[in-house]
Each structure stands twice: as structure tokens, then as C-alpha cells.
Amino acid sequence: NQSGLNSSSWMITFEKNIGDLPLLTIDTAWLGENHISAEVVEIAPGRDIFSGDDHSTFKRTFTVEHTPEIQEIILESSANDMGGYFFIHFMGERSSNIHVDSDATTIQRVLEGVSTIDEVTVSIIPHTQDSISLYGQRWVVTFKSHRGDLPSLLVDSGSGPASTITTGGTLLGSSPLIRVETKEDGGIRTNFVTPSILNENKTYTTRISSLNGYSWSTPAHSKFGISPSKGVPSSPREVRVNVLSNTELGVSWKQPNFSGGDEVAGYKVQWDVDTKFDHSSATVRATQNSTDYFFVVRNLDPFESYFVRVIAYNAQGFSEPEIATHFLMYMNTIMISLIETGGNVDLTETFSIRYTSNQGIQRETNPISVYATSREVENELNIIGIDNAVSVDREDRSNVFDLSGIETNYFDIRYRLSLVGDQDISSISINDENLGSIVPSVDF
């Protein structure tokens, strides 16, 4: 320049930052020469695009209000024979008994009869009868007058303390189970998705104000502007798998929460004996206005165990995969068999069930008749305080005559124990001191 000094300058324009920004600072220590100096000069201050009377900038306002708490009471059974009744607990109070076939009006009346529950609405959603779902239904409970994030409803069928899951007790049928899930927390959401009205060629900024019922707060705004762009969809939701036969698996799932800006075109179902998922897959096309999907995987090896996952895709690509969980992944089944082939069984034989916890604690039931009903066995298990909810099914496979008509007096009684919840059981065994010639076995 004219003064004979060497100099350089850079003009920096902040395109995405919002508002009047502080000046940059420069550290010249790394330049190695003491006579070098530097300064930052603001040429034009940034402008808060939300202020002033300039309405040329596109503006849109959305209000995020309190949302009610929504909880589901889910009734499930392995056959269409569920019966009996149960109780609901909420914040220390218990309802009157509720029959499993109650309609929505009855359930609402019973719930609003609990002193800690004010106004609720109830709707009933039958389980999809598509060959892969369990039998039963869902009761959707919406808390209308309570505000905020509420504690969970608890269920009680007399088989143990009130919990978010119960089985056995006053419930009847094939492995009946009732559980509670929170579908949407009550309160004000801390996230928001705009409607699909934005232009990917524009840059958008946001600001948020809160209201306490008296006035609005000073708004806080985003530090940067952002342009929307299309992407892959989010993962499918509630991916479940259920055993249909020794060669078939049923897979069900719900559509993703977000499409990525392009419509979801379909889903890829993958299954394999390991998590590499390089064995087999199938494609299920998305259907307009459908939220629930299912697929039956056939011709499987009955001696293998399989992993299953589902991936959503659109024109932009594939979502992250979602691994399928079993419908009854929280249920462990134990089979107790009592068999005698010599025809020497009378009414005096008894057995007791002994279980050992993972901590080495042993407990044993009172003597149980070999002709005991499923309810009697269940009651004895509840008495010794197994921590898991338990239901018992009884099957009599005894035959007085064989296929040729010869008398056999073959005695064969099976008890299927369904334990629900975290498993704290190391082993199950049978005390056979009073079983005579009956041979017990446990498939754990």
C-alpha cells in the first residue's frame, strides 16, 4: 500500500447466524513478529429478522399446548378364551373389579369411580386378527383433567402386588396377561415437527416463547438458520415377531414417525440365523393410509433360531433397521410333566414344586395333588412368593385305552407355568417323595 506496509484483509459474511453478533477476536501470538497487528471492524451489524416492521420475511406461528397423558391397558391371551376380572390401582387407590369383556363406557365409569382419578375417556382397540397377533384388545385411557406426566396405572389379578403387568389369579384362559404401557406422557412437549409446508430453497430460523398463564416470556431464538432437505425415513415402530408354527414366523410393525420428506415406498423384512442378515429378505410395499403392516416368513428350518428386522425406505434411501422383539419376550414358560405307565396311580400321590433363585434362595410349595387344577397349582406358587407374575395351564394327556382298545391306564398330566417379568429363577425341580411310581420331569 502507499505507506509501504504489507497488509491483508478478509471480509466475512455470516449467512446462517442470527442477530447482531459479537466481534471476532484475533490472536497474533502465533505469527512470530511483534510488529504485526490485527483488528476486526464491523461493516454491517446483523439484524434480528423477527423484529421491526419488515414483513417481507415469511413468518408462521405454532402453539404447543399441554397434551393429556395416554396409557394403554393391554389384554393378551394365546387363545380366544380370555375371561375373569382384575383391578386397577392409581396413586394408592384401587378400583372395583373390571371384567375383561367390559365395554368402554363401563371401564370409564369404573375408573372415574377411583377417588384419585377425575375425568378420563376410554376407547377399545381389538388386536389385529391377522394370524400373527395375540388374542385380546387394548383399552386406551386418556386423562382429560390431570395435567403433567402421571404415574402409571397398575393392574392386579390377585396373584401378587399391583404392578404394570399381571397374569393368573382372577384371570381365566390360555396364558392370560394384562399389562400397562404409557403411550404419551402428559405435559408440554419439548420437541415439535413443522407441517410439510417449508421450501428447501429457503433458509429458516426459529424462536420460542413460553407462557405461564399471565404473559409471554422474552423469546429465545436459534443461533443459526437452516434449510430443510429430504432424507431417509425414520425406523419402523413396534416391530414384533411371533411364532406361528415350527416353520413360520409372523412379523408386524407400524409406519415410521417421519417419512423424511418423501413418501415411504415400502419395507424390507430381513431374517437370518445371525445378525449379519445376509441370508433372506422380502419387500412389502407401503399402502396409502395404512399404519399397520405384517408379513409371514415361511419355510424356515424348525431346528434353527432366527433374528428378524424391518427397514423402511423412500426415494432417498433406507432407514436404520429395527430389530423385532417377541410378543412375549418377557414371558418364560416351564413345563412340568407327571407320567406313569403302569396303571398304579390312586388319589394319594402328591408332589411339591421347589425353585431356587439366582441368589441361591430355595422355596418349596405345600404338597400338591397330582389331580390338582391349574388354579390350585397357581395358588401354591403364589403362596411361596415367586417374584414373577405366574399363570398355570393344565393339560390331561392320560389314556385309559390305547389305539387298539387295550386297557393301559396311561397317566400323563402336564402343567405349563408362564412366568412374566424379570427372571430371578436359577432352577425349578420337583420333590417326588410322595409320587410313588409317577415320574416327574421339568422342561425349563
Side-chain angles (χ1 to χ4, degrees):
N1 59 27
Q2 295 180 351
S3 63
L5 300 177
N6 294 320
S7 64
S8 298
S9 64
W10 296 270
M11 181 176 292
I12 300 174
T13 302
F14 294 86
E15 295 183 347
K16 300 292 185 179
N17 295 76
I18 306 301
D20 190 12
L21 304 177
L23 292 179
L24 295 171
T25 59
I26 299 178
D27 184 358
T28 61
W30 296 93
L31 297 178
E33 297 291 342
N34 294 330
H35 59 273
I36 295 177
S37 64
E39 66 176 332
V40 177
V41 177
E42 183 181 63
I43 297 176
R47 183 173 60 88
D48 183 355
I49 65 172
F50 293 108
S51 64
D53 298 325
D54 182 4
H55 298 288
S56 61
T57 304
F58 177 78
K59 298 181 181 180
R60 187 76 179 262
T61 300
F62 301 95
T63 301
V64 179
E65 298 179 334
H66 278 275
T67 58
E69 177 98 5
I70 301 176
Q71 299 185 21
E72 285 188 349
I73 304 170
I74 304 169
L75 291 72
E76 296 175 334
S77 178
S78 58
N80 193 22
D81 60 356
M82 193 171 189
Y85 62 92
F86 66 102
F87 303 90
I88 290 178
H89 297 244
F90 185 70
M91 297 176 66
E93 297 294 325
R94 192 183 83 163
S95 72
S96 57
N97 60 324
I98 303 176
H99 288 270
V100 297
D101 57 355
S102 297
D103 58 23
T105 302
T106 302
I107 302 164
Q108 178 181 354
R109 184 177 65 251
V110 172
L111 289 176
E112 291 180 347
V114 178
S115 62
T116 50
I117 297 177
D118 294 328
E119 182 184 0
V120 297
T121 60
V122 178
S123 60
I124 295 180
I125 304 175
H127 283 180
T128 306
Q129 300 301 308
D130 53 21
S131 81
I132 68 169
S133 297
L134 298 173
Y135 295 91
Q137 56 189 357
R138 294 170 179 250
W139 299 346
V140 183
V141 180
T142 303
F143 292 83
K144 303 295 290 184
S145 56
H146 294 77
R147 305 190 73 176
D149 188 9
L150 302 179
S152 176
L153 294 168
L154 303 177
V155 286
D156 160 26
S157 61
S159 59
S163 176
T164 55
I165 188 168
T166 186
T167 186
T170 56
L171 297 176
L172 307 176
S174 302
S175 302
L177 173 72
I178 298 179
R179 55 192 175 92
V180 179
E181 290 185 358
T182 298
K183 304 306 294 183
E184 187 170 339
D185 290 327
I188 299 181
R189 298 197 309 269
T190 56
N191 56 74
F192 176 75
V193 179
T194 67
S196 300
I197 59 175
L198 305 185
N199 188 329
E200 60 184 329
N201 296 318
K202 292 185 176 182
T203 299
Y204 295 88
T205 58
T206 58
R207 70 175 184 179
I208 301 175
S209 298
S210 58
L211 175 68
N212 62 4
Y214 296 96
S215 62
W216 290 96
S217 70
T218 301
H221 59 72
S222 57
K223 299 293 185 182
F224 304 94
I226 189 170
S227 298
S229 60
K230 293 181 179 181
V232 300
S234 58
S235 300
R237 298 176 294 123
E238 298 185 28
V239 181
R240 302 287 183 89
V241 62
N242 198 28
V243 177
L244 302 184
S245 71
N246 63 342
T247 61
E248 295 178 315
L249 294 175
V251 188
S252 68
W253 65 93
K254 294 183 181 295
Q255 70 177 14
N257 279 326
F258 311 113
S259 67
D262 270 335
E263 288 187 3
V264 175
Y267 302 89
K268 185 176 288 293
V269 182
Q270 298 178 316
W271 61 94
D272 204 342
V273 296
D274 55 39
T275 55
K276 294 180 180 178
F277 291 103
D278 55 3
H279 178 66
S280 299
S281 65
T283 299
V284 178
R285 295 197 62 81
T287 305
Q288 190 173 10
N289 299 325
S290 293
T291 60
D292 298 276
Y293 294 86
F294 67 92
F295 179 78
V296 178
V297 183
R298 306 182 190 277
N299 302 319
L300 299 176
D301 186 340
F303 300 104
E304 289 283 3
S305 296
Y306 288 86
F307 295 90
V308 180
R309 70 182 186 181
V310 180
I311 304 170
Y313 66 88
N314 61 12
Q316 307 302 316
F318 292 89
S319 73
E320 289 294 320
E322 186 71 18
I323 297 289
T325 57
H326 196 281
F327 270 109
L328 293 179
M329 64 177 299
Y330 39 73
M331 179 174 288
N332 187 32
T333 301
I334 301 170
M335 182 68 75
I336 297 175
S337 302
L338 304 174
I339 299 175
E340 206 280 336
T341 60
N344 299 315
V345 179
D346 55 35
L347 298 177
T348 63
E349 291 91 350
T350 62
F351 68 100
S352 57
I353 302 173
R354 179 188 300 122
Y355 95 93
T356 304
S357 71
N358 292 320
Q359 290 74 37
I361 301 174
Q362 288 191 346
R363 296 177 183 173
E364 186 171 334
T365 67
N366 294 319
I368 302 171
S369 169
V370 294
Y371 293 97
T373 64
S374 59
R375 179 60 56 86
E376 290 170 336
V377 175
E378 186 179 296
N379 289 340
E380 290 297 333
L381 290 170
N382 287 327
I383 288 174
I384 64 175
I386 287 183
D387 295 333
N388 317 92
V390 58
S391 68
V392 179
D393 296 309
R394 180 181 183 272
E395 182 180 359
D396 189 347
R397 300 186 182 181
S398 303
N399 288 316
V400 178
F401 301 95
D402 64 15
L403 296 177
S404 65
I406 298 177
E407 185 175 3
T408 61
N409 291 321
Y410 185 84
F411 179 86
D412 185 350
I413 299 292
R414 311 287 178 96
Y415 295 101
R416 185 174 70 249
L417 280 57
S418 299
L419 302 176
V420 182
D422 296 332
Q423 304 302 321
D424 185 28
I425 296 178
S426 173
S427 65
I428 293 279
S429 59
I430 301 297
N431 184 338
D432 60 358
E433 293 179 0
N434 298 314
L435 276 178
S437 57
I438 297 175
V439 178
S441 65
V442 178
D443 183 9
F444 181 53

